[in-house]
Amino acid sequence: MKKLINAVDDVVKEQLEGMAVAHPDMLKINFEPKYVYRADAPIAGKVALISGGGSGHEPMHGGFVGMGMLAGACPGEVFTSPTPDQMYECAKAVDGGAGVLFLVKNYTGDVLNFETAAELAYADGIKVQNILIDDDVAVKDSLYTAGRRGVGTTVLCEKIVGAAAEAGYDLDQCSDLARKVNMYGRSMGMALTSCTVPAAGKPTFELGEDEMEIGIGIHGEPGQKRMAMTSVDEITTLMTNEILDDGPYSRTVREWDNESGTWVEKDIVDQPFQAGDEVIVFVNSMGGTPVSELYAVYRKVAEICADRGVKIVRNLIGPYITSLEMQGCSITLLKADEEILKFWDAPVNTPGLRWGV
Amino acid sequence: MKKLINAVDDVVKEQLEGMAVAHPDMLKINFEPKYVYRADAPIAGKVALISGGGSGHEPMHGGFVGMGMLAGACPGEVFTSPTPDQMYECAKAVDGGAGVLFLVKNYTGDVLNFETAAELAYADGIKVQNILIDDDVAVKDSLYTAGRRGVGTTVLCEKIVGAAAEAGYDLDQCSDLARKVNMYGRSMGMALTSCTVPAAGKPTFELGEDEMEIGIGIHGEPGQKRMAMTSVDEITTLMTNEILDDGPYSRTVREWDNESGTWVEKDIVDQPFQAGDEVIVFVNSMGGTPVSELYAVYRKVAEICADRGVKIVRNLIGPYITSLEMQGCSITLLKADEEILKFWDAPVNTPGLRWGV
């Protein structure tokens, strides 16, 4: 294993130290327990958006802390869920009285720990809500998940709902918007190579010299299938069609009821994409794939969308939700309405995403 | 070789097609010959900044075309100099009457071709100037270079001089500023892995499982030495000290005299860094190294600068001048004065760098 690290046990801590010293204008970092939070938090009267998950997906989530995006982020060890105390302490640090919205990627550990954190924060008098991101069309149930995994839509949701919180949306409005973004977003990923978790010291999986994995998860979890390597046009066509052809997806999620102080179940159904839809397209590098290759992917996504009458109105192209140094990419399509576009275009000032400031 | 490409011969063309369809608000692309140029070019009365070089270093240079940065960029094939006709046609497309400044990284092919292009453009009545970037302290003379190679300072120079051109600096003022930025900037790189040029189909060089190359060039040219792998703190210390301890560097450059229509030689000496200097620190990924590891590098650079009384006033951390999917990093320090900081902070709107817009 060759990485730019010191001792394996210090990887996350030292990377966070580097972030703290690099971006004191945007964020601060607490180390026991670990959480990243806005330099100007808490902000009175504004909803505080918090996400988190295992490290190794940078710049998500810590790199999205700042004006117009996350109020806080809770990093676990590499590919490991953060703990409820991180989320709870972070919530206390950033709550400005308008409540805390936890954006939770659908991995079993993350879901359980964010639920515990929400209960702890609620017991302290903080209004809370948990919204699930489960946008990966590749697999139903997987190594760490019941239901679909949460992947690329998370980045778009953090940007859009972060802007809404900045604009003064209350907790219910932010929650409704986050749920809508998740329902409007669908993703799929693929890998050319594995990655190596520092604590493991060896690649998470093996791929042959002429093999790729379609439908891979962001922790290297198995995808749909291994295939012989083919052209970027074929790979992109396969993934984009899978996203565009995905039928209605039904599931039951648990959300918090701040009136009764209990979890309530809610049935949700995604609507498939249709000709005439406007979409934000997000082409993401898994980390080791250079941006030049992402443009070849985008080229084909744009062609397919044009053929199918789906109009791309915004795009994001680069490494934003990664899997360490894994080579590969993911594609996310998000149906965009007026509300979503307004908040997508709003200013953002974070280490990982910045415009309008 | 596993890459997200179609036919090897089409790699650059198709990636450019992807850029064109992704960013029509910022840039346009001409394909015969190939150049990327601002969507709103030519801009009457403003100096047009052009750079270029082999592809494979994305987002540099095409990804830096847009408001506040480059007016045009000329991409060669991967790791291959662009041709004079690309540069000449690009100059004609973007010249708004105030002249064209070619920013040239010091590689023999680039230098010769940009000189030919300058002569052609001048013969057409366009005021021209060529400013060399040669900031790599690792080696004096190398595989493709007489003198030092041009690396990370190029990115900073494109940002700073692009903002100056936007603000109305004339050709001489832009040239003086570009020369100053080059003299104030020093860089060094290292690699953990090789990269694979598509047309070659195999890694440019081989590195052992526990080896790294210090002082590597952005085309995988040999550096100072191969060493056993060590910690990020040791690697960063070695490179940062080499940059900070570098003595005065003298060389003779050729610049164009628009009065006489001839090349004139000019002696230039870089001044070493001193305690009390303010600097912009740029920690760059060679492509395959994730941003999380760059923060560990930045953490140590910041510590060393603090120890030596060098004050970091701005930073840039991410993959901006890459070598395809190579793993590794480079460090650039740029002495910053008031003029440089003013233009660093100015708005920029390009696919690769964006703020204030």
Side-chain angles (χ1 to χ4, degrees):
Chain A
M1 174 177 64
K2 293 195 288 188
K3 289 175 181 284
L4 297 174
I5 60 174
N6 293 311
V8 163
D9 287 346
D10 299 330
V11 165
V12 172
K13 178 177 83 73
E14 292 182 347
Q15 291 172 352
L16 290 172
E17 287 171 355
M19 282 197 71
V21 70
H23 307 295
D25 51 325
M26 296 171 180
L27 53 84
K28 292 181 184 176
I29 300 189
N30 191 78
F31 283 90
E32 292 187 10
K34 290 191 186 79
Y35 59 86
V36 183
Y37 62 113
R38 271 178 71 158
D40 55 358
I43 302 174
K46 293 208 177 155
V47 171
L49 188 62
I50 295 178
S51 193
S55 293
H57 308 299
E58 289 74 16
M60 191 186 77
H61 300 275
F64 296 142
V65 171
M67 194 284 290
M69 212 159 166
L70 294 180
C74 305
E77 289 303 307
V78 175
F79 291 3
T80 303
S81 290
T83 51
D85 65 312
Q86 292 177 259
M87 304 158 181
Y88 167 58
E89 295 294 336
C90 182
K92 287 196 291 184
V94 300
D95 176 48
V100 166
L101 175 56
F102 291 116
L103 273 188
V104 186
K105 301 195 303 301
N106 189 31
Y107 300 96
T108 307
D110 290 13
V111 171
L112 288 174
N113 291 348
F114 272 110
E115 288 192 353
T116 302
E119 292 168 11
L120 290 169
Y122 177 81
D124 269 3
I126 299 175
K127 277 181 287 184
V128 295
Q129 190 49 280
N130 290 26
I131 296 291
L132 206 68
I133 305 290
D134 57 350
D135 62 316
D136 188 340
V137 303
V139 289
K140 172 102 176 72
D141 303 333
S142 79
L143 195 53
Y144 308 116
T145 323
R148 289 182 169 177
R149 303 173 295 212
V151 289
T153 300
T154 313
V155 175
L156 309 182
C157 194
E158 292 178 4
K159 168 67 187 82
I160 291 160
V161 180
E166 199 73 47
Y169 267 36
D170 69 20
L171 185 59
D172 285 344
Q173 291 173 309
C174 285
S175 303
D176 289 346
L177 179 58
R179 195 185 308 104
K180 179 172 81 173
V181 169
N182 183 46
M183 290 169 64
Y184 280 10
R186 283 173 162 80
S187 300
M188 192 160 164
M190 61 84 58
L192 299 175
T193 64
S194 179
C195 57
T196 298
V197 175
K202 60 182 177 50
T204 302
F205 58 94
E206 296 292 341
L207 266 178
E209 268 306 298
D210 199 37
E211 262 187 337
M212 60 181 178
E213 175 107 13
I214 296 286
I216 194 108
I218 57 171
H219 311 94
E221 312 93 292
Q224 285 184 343
K225 54 189 165 189
R226 292 195 172 192
M227 290 174 56
M229 188 62 199
T230 182
S231 69
V232 65
D233 278 359
E234 287 189 41
I235 293 166
T236 304
T237 301
L238 194 161
M239 293 203 294
T240 308
N241 283 342
E242 191 110 16
I243 290 169
L244 286 171
D245 293 337
D246 188 53
Y249 172 54
S250 308
R251 68 279 207 190
T252 302
V253 296
R254 276 157 60 95
E255 295 187 9
W256 187 253
D257 179 16
N258 283 287
E259 299 295 318
S260 62
T262 54
W263 294 103
V264 291
E265 297 204 330
K266 192 171 284 190
D267 294 322
I268 289 180
V269 187
D270 284 4
Q271 292 308 306
F273 292 103
Q274 298 177 22
D277 279 351
E278 297 198 326
V279 296
I280 299 174
V281 169
F282 170 30
V283 177
N284 173 62
S285 169
M286 291 297 191
T289 282
V291 68
S292 50
E293 293 179 27
L294 300 184
Y295 279 108
V297 174
Y298 185 82
R299 170 183 173 275
K300 191 67 185 176
V301 174
E303 188 183 306
I304 295 167
C305 285
D307 286 347
R308 298 184 60 152
V310 172
K311 186 177 178 196
I312 303 176
V313 291
R314 299 288 187 282
N315 61 63
L316 182 70
I317 301 165
Y320 294 102
I321 169 172
T322 58
S323 301
L324 297 167
E325 72 284 357
M326 183 189 286
Q327 289 179 37
C329 72
S330 65
I331 297 169
T332 298
L333 266 65
L334 173 67
K335 180 177 160 179
D337 60 17
E338 198 179 332
E339 181 185 38
I340 285 173
L341 284 179
K342 179 176 77 172
F343 291 125
W344 179 256
D345 291 339
V348 59
N349 194 29
T350 71
L353 214 58
R354 185 175 172 193
W355 58 69
V357 179
Chain B
M1 175 177 63
K2 293 195 287 189
K3 289 175 183 284
L4 297 173
I5 60 174
N6 293 311
V8 163
D9 288 347
D10 299 330
V11 165
V12 172
K13 179 177 82 71
E14 292 182 347
Q15 291 172 351
L16 290 172
E17 287 171 355
M19 281 196 71
V21 70
H23 307 295
D25 52 324
M26 295 172 181
L27 53 84
K28 293 181 182 174
I29 300 189
N30 191 77
F31 283 90
E32 290 188 8
K34 288 190 188 77
Y35 58 87
V36 183
Y37 61 113
R38 273 178 68 157
D40 55 358
I43 301 175
K46 291 207 179 159
V47 172
L49 188 62
I50 295 178
S51 194
S55 294
H57 308 298
E58 289 73 17
M60 190 185 80
H61 301 274
F64 296 140
V65 171
M67 194 282 291
M69 215 160 163
L70 295 179
C74 305
E77 289 302 307
V78 175
F79 292 1
T80 302
S81 289
T83 52
D85 65 312
Q86 292 176 259
M87 303 159 182
Y88 167 58
E89 295 294 336
C90 182
K92 286 197 290 185
V94 300
D95 177 47
V100 166
L101 175 55
F102 291 116
L103 272 189
V104 186
K105 299 194 305 300
N106 189 33
Y107 299 96
T108 307
D110 289 12
V111 172
L112 288 172
N113 291 350
F114 271 110
E115 287 191 355
T116 302
E119 291 168 11
L120 291 169
Y122 177 82
D124 269 3
I126 298 174
K127 277 180 288 185
V128 294
Q129 190 51 279
N130 291 26
I131 297 291
L132 205 68
I133 305 290
D134 57 349
D135 62 316
D136 188 340
V137 303
V139 290
K140 171 100 176 75
D141 303 332
S142 79
L143 196 54
Y144 308 116
T145 324
R148 289 181 170 177
R149 303 174 295 213
V151 289
T153 300
T154 313
V155 175
L156 308 183
C157 195
E158 291 177 5
K159 168 67 187 83
I160 291 160
V161 180
E166 199 74 47
Y169 266 36
D170 70 21
L171 185 59
D172 286 344
Q173 291 173 310
C174 284
S175 304
D176 289 345
L177 178 58
R179 197 186 306 108
K180 179 172 81 172
V181 169
N182 183 44
M183 290 170 64
Y184 280 9
R186 284 174 162 80
S187 299
M188 193 160 165
M190 62 82 59
L192 298 175
T193 64
S194 180
C195 57
T196 297
V197 174
K202 60 182 176 52
T204 303
F205 58 94
E206 296 290 343
L207 265 179
E209 267 307 298
D210 198 38
E211 262 187 336
M212 60 180 180
E213 175 106 14
I214 296 286
I216 194 107
I218 56 171
H219 310 94
E221 314 93 290
Q224 285 183 343
K225 53 188 166 190
R226 291 193 173 195
M227 289 173 58
M229 188 61 198
T230 181
S231 69
V232 65
D233 278 358
E234 285 190 40
I235 293 166
T236 304
T237 301
L238 194 162
M239 294 203 293
T240 308
N241 283 340
E242 191 111 16
I243 290 169
L244 287 171
D245 293 338
D246 188 52
Y249 172 55
S250 307
R251 69 280 207 188
T252 302
V253 296
R254 276 156 62 95
E255 295 186 9
W256 187 253
D257 179 15
N258 283 289
E259 297 296 318
S260 62
T262 53
W263 294 102
V264 291
E265 297 203 330
K266 192 170 282 190
D267 294 321
I268 289 181
V269 186
D270 284 3
Q271 293 307 305
F273 291 104
Q274 299 175 23
D277 279 351
E278 297 197 328
V279 296
I280 299 173
V281 169
F282 170 30
V283 176
N284 173 63
S285 169
M286 291 298 191
T289 283
V291 69
S292 50
E293 294 180 24
L294 300 183
Y295 279 109
V297 174
Y298 185 81
R299 171 184 172 274
K300 191 65 186 176
V301 174
E303 187 184 307
I304 295 168
C305 285
D307 286 348
R308 299 184 58 154
V310 171
K311 186 177 177 194
I312 303 176
V313 291
R314 300 289 186 282
N315 61 64
L316 182 70
I317 301 166
Y320 295 102
I321 168 172
T322 58
S323 301
L324 297 166
E325 72 285 356
M326 182 188 288
Q327 289 178 38
C329 72
S330 65
I331 298 169
T332 298
L333 267 64
L334 173 67
K335 181 178 160 178
D337 59 17
E338 197 179 332
E339 182 185 37
I340 286 172
L341 284 180
K342 179 176 76 174
F343 291 125
W344 180 256
D345 290 339
V348 60
N349 194 28
T350 71
L353 213 58
R354 184 174 173 195
W355 58 70
V357 178

